[in-house]
Amino acid sequence: FIDEGGAGKVFALGSTGFCVKLMENRHERPDANKKYDLGNTPKEEGRLLKHMAGLTVHGTRAPYHVDTLVGPTHGALIMEQLPAVNLKKVLDGNQPLPKHFSFDTFFDSLEPYINAMHESRHIAHGDLFARNIMIDETTALPYLIDFGRSCDLRQCSEEKSATLIRQDWNQLDALTRETEKLRK
């Protein structure tokens, strides 16, 4: 067991360097239409994560996606296990901050990555909170994880796309303020 979020649990696949995110396919539940925001199906999250492949900006990237398996009630994303610590756990004092961490370098890498994600991959993340950002243990650069609330901007109206992009930037501003205590 590595960690868990609102939609699933992540487990290491031995010492292979890969992990699996196991999730309930909430969209298949009989009460699914009563839920306000179910997020993406496992298949859609895997598609968006795969679409992020190859996008690296100043050392910032998403984990490599290997495969998505979907059954009638559950799904699994198989992906790279990142050599990283979770930003939320660092802020909560539950994991150490990697050596050589620089607040300015971290955000100078994350900001252009998010911009490239919007401009070249046409994806809005939709959940840019500390729990979805990892810090590489060696380089101290960010990884962006959990595309369960992400949206393909090409499938939205111009107005909706602008709103989603603005939401990402507002979330990044809030994240910057929340992590200010890491500035040394």
Side-chain angles (χ1 to χ4, degrees), residues 113-158:
Y113 179 80
I114 291 166
N115 191 56
M117 182 177 65
H118 293 157
E119 305 237 339
S120 72
R121 294 299 196 262
H122 309 286
I123 293 176
H125 189 271
D127 203 9
L128 288 173
F129 296 101
R131 66 181 178 264
N132 294 325
I133 312 253
M134 304 291 286
I135 307 170
D136 186 289
E137 292 173 330
T138 303
T139 66
L141 293 173
Y143 292 109
L144 189 56
I145 63 168
D146 194 346
F147 286 76
R149 300 267 177 218
S150 297
C151 186
D152 187 330
L153 297 170
R154 296 169 296 185
Q155 297 175 358
C156 302
S157 68
E158 270 188 52

Side-chain angles (χ1 to χ4, degrees), residues 94-106:
N94 297 322
Q95 287 185 323
L97 188 63
K99 293 179 182 175
H100 313 298
F101 179 85
S102 163
F103 181 90
D104 292 327
T105 302
F106 186 84

Side-chain angles (χ1 to χ4, degrees), residues 1-3 9-21 81:
F1 175 76
I2 297 174
D3 205 355
K9 295 181 179 183
V10 181
F11 298 88
L13 294 175
S15 58
T16 64
F18 296 100
C19 63
V20 60
K21 178 180 179 182
Q81 183 177 342

